[in-house]
Every structure is written in C-alpha cells, then in structure tokens.
C-alpha cells in the first residue's frame, strides 16, 4: 500500500515524494522499475499477432510483384522468408529483449550523465540515488506503454506514427518504399518527432524536480542539466537513423 501511495505521489506531489524517496525510499525503486519493464514488453506482445500478419502480407505482396521474375527455388526462399519474418522470435522475443535492455541502459546512461555533470555544476549526490530517481521519473513512459497496449487491443491496429511523427511521415506501402523511398532527412525528422509527446515533457519535468531534490542544485541549473543531457542523447540516438537513411538513399540511386 505504501508503494501505491508513492506512485500516486510522483503524479500528484513529485517534489515532496522525491524528497521522501531520497531520505527513506532506497528500496522502493523496484516497483517503478518492474512496471516500466512490463509496460515495455506488453505493447510488443499485444501487437505481435498484427505484426506477424502484416509481415506475411508484405512478403506475399513482394512475391506477387516479382512472381514472373522468380524461379521455383527463389519462390521457395521467399516462402521461407515469410515464415521467418512472422516467427515469434522475430516479432516478439527480440523486440522485447532489446526493449528491456535499452530501458536499463537508458537508466544507467541518464544516471551516469546526471552524476558526472551534476558534480561539475556543484551538485552533491551518489550515483545510486540518481539512478533510483531516474527510475521513478520513468513512470510517465510506463503509463504510455499501458495506453499503447490498450489502444492496440481496442482498435486492432498498430500505432503507425507515434508522437508527432505523423506530421512528416505518410502511409508507406511496400510498393512506395521500393519506388520512392524516404530521404535521410525525412527519416531523421520522423524519428525525432516520434520521440516527442506529452509523456516526454512529463518525464523531463520529473527529472528536473528529482535532480533538484537529489543534487540540491537550483531549478535553473537542474533544468539546463536535464535538457542538455536529453538533447545530447537524442542527437546520438538519431545517428543510426541518419546512417540508415543515407545507405538506403545510396542503394536506390
């Protein structure tokens, strides 16, 4: 019951709750960590039947478009590719493992960056205290994962354009991807906007409040610290998308 009150406190009274956690809640971080892990995996599991069907349809569409050019051996290879693309290992297991791994690595990177830069800015906090604070600040993303899973269950559709990515990303079919692939700039813009939603701002606000409490930095320093780290990590996260877009564009020239 105490942990439930702490969860509600992060939503309703974040500063007071972070102060309480910093003083007496060192062992309570397992609950938001468990919720975050579950809510990373849940949307993947819920979406797996839809993704498996779409993967089979995509391979079948490619096979139909290239049927006249395919030999019997190549058709057999396409059928095998169809089975692999729709396998639970590809659709569910790998995305779940990479999602959980990315979550934990993200917590460690955020805590490490706050610890190092916070010390330079004059803050006083241990890495463990910052790590626990970062885990608690991830509550908005756990709620987002739950809402995403609920949306998929109720509508039977995947979330095609998360965040604000729908502003630049149109509906892409296999035929469109082959004839007019997106440019590197479009892919980077879509990836960037996909990261931006209300849950991001909520998460950043909690990180600022938690950093102020744990490191005893001023609101101005804590805000600059959090926004600077977010900008740096976001730019680094866009590098693979940029490289993939350049390679894709080069291959279609």
């Amino acid at each position: 019951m105490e942990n439930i009150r702490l969860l509600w406190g992060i939503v309703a009274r974040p500063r007071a709750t972070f102060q309480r956690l910093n003083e007496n809640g060192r062992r309570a971080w397992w609950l938001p960590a468990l919720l975050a892990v579950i809510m990373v995996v849940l949307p993947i599991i819920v979406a797996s039947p839809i993704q498996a069907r779409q993967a089979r349809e995509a391979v079948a569409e490619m096979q139909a478009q290239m049927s006249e050019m395919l030999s019997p051996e190549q058709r057999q290879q396409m059928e095998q590719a169809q089975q692999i693309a729709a396998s639970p290992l590809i659709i569910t297991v790998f995305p779940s493992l990479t999602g959980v791994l990315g979550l934990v690595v993200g917590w460690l990177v955020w805590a490490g960056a706050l610890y190092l830069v916070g010390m330079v800015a004059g803050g006083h906090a241990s890495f463990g205290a910052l790590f626990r604070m970062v885990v608690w600040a991830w509550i908005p993303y756990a709620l987002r994962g739950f809402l995403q899973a609920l949306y998929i269950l109720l509508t039977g559709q995947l979330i095609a354009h998360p965040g604000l990515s729908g502003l630049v990303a149109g509906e892409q079919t296999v035929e469109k991807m082959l004839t007019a692939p997106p440019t590197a700039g479009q892919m980077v813009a879509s990836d960037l906007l996909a990261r931006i939603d209300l849950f991001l701002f909520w998460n950043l606000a909690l990180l600022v409040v938690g950093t102020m409490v744990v490191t005893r930095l001023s609101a101005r320093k804590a805000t600059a610290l959090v926004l600077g780290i977010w900008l740096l990590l976001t730019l680094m996260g866009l590098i693979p998308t940029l490289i993939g877009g350049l390679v894709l564009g080069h291959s279609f020239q």
Side-chain angles (χ1 to χ4, degrees):
M1 194 66 183
E2 177 66 18
N3 288 334
I4 301 300
R5 284 197 291 267
L6 289 172
L7 286 173
W8 174 246
I10 289 293
V11 176
R13 300 179 301 277
R15 183 169 189 136
T17 304
F18 274 126
Q19 288 174 339
R20 182 176 179 182
L21 288 167
N22 191 45
E23 295 170 359
N24 303 308
R26 295 185 177 182
R27 298 182 180 180
W29 66 273
W30 66 268
L31 179 59
L34 179 62
L35 285 175
V37 168
I38 292 173
M39 293 310 165
V40 163
V41 175
L42 185 61
I44 297 173
I45 295 175
V46 171
S48 59
I50 304 173
Q51 289 183 316
R53 186 188 71 245
Q54 290 183 350
R56 288 192 295 267
E57 291 174 351
V59 175
E61 183 178 349
M62 291 180 61
Q63 187 175 8
Q65 292 175 355
M66 303 171 62
S67 60
E68 297 180 357
M69 301 181 292
L70 295 177
S71 64
E73 292 79 8
Q74 289 174 325
R75 291 193 185 94
Q76 186 177 5
Q77 290 176 354
M78 290 287 287
E79 292 174 358
Q80 293 175 350
Q82 187 180 44
Q83 295 175 355
I84 294 173
S87 68
L89 189 66
I90 300 297
I91 296 295
T92 306
V93 177
F94 282 164
S96 297
L97 291 176
T98 55
V100 173
L101 180 61
L103 180 67
V104 175
V105 170
W107 289 339
L108 292 171
V109 170
W110 262 102
L114 288 171
Y115 176 71
L116 294 174
V117 184
M119 283 198 306
V120 174
H124 302 280
S126 66
F127 174 83
L130 287 167
F131 178 80
R132 292 189 293 270
M133 181 275 293
V134 168
V135 173
W136 277 99
W138 243 249
I139 289 296
Y141 289 132
L143 177 59
R144 183 181 68 180
F146 172 76
L147 293 176
Q148 287 176 339
L150 187 63
Y151 171 85
I152 296 169
L153 276 175
L154 293 178
T155 64
Q157 298 178 352
L158 299 178
I159 301 174
H161 305 302
L164 300 178
S165 61
L167 296 175
V168 297
E171 184 177 355
Q172 290 288 342
T173 63
V174 175
E175 184 177 359
K176 287 183 179 179
M177 287 291 292
L178 292 174
T179 57
T183 65
Q186 290 173 330
M187 292 177 66
V188 170
S190 179
D191 190 5
L192 174 61
L193 292 175
R195 302 165 186 258
I196 300 176
D197 56 22
L198 293 176
F199 300 98
L200 166 67
F201 296 114
W202 185 8
N203 168 248
L204 293 177
L206 289 179
L207 285 170
V208 170
V209 173
T211 300
M212 291 169 55
V213 170
V214 177
T215 64
R216 302 184 185 91
L217 290 172
S218 66
R220 180 179 297 179
K221 285 186 177 180
T223 301
L225 198 93
V226 169
L227 292 181
I229 293 173
W230 175 80
L231 181 61
L232 176 62
L233 295 180
T234 300
L235 292 176
M236 291 175 61
L238 293 175
I239 292 175
T241 302
L242 176 61
I243 295 174
L246 293 174
V247 171
L248 182 65
H250 181 73
S251 64
F252 278 87
Q253 288 180 353

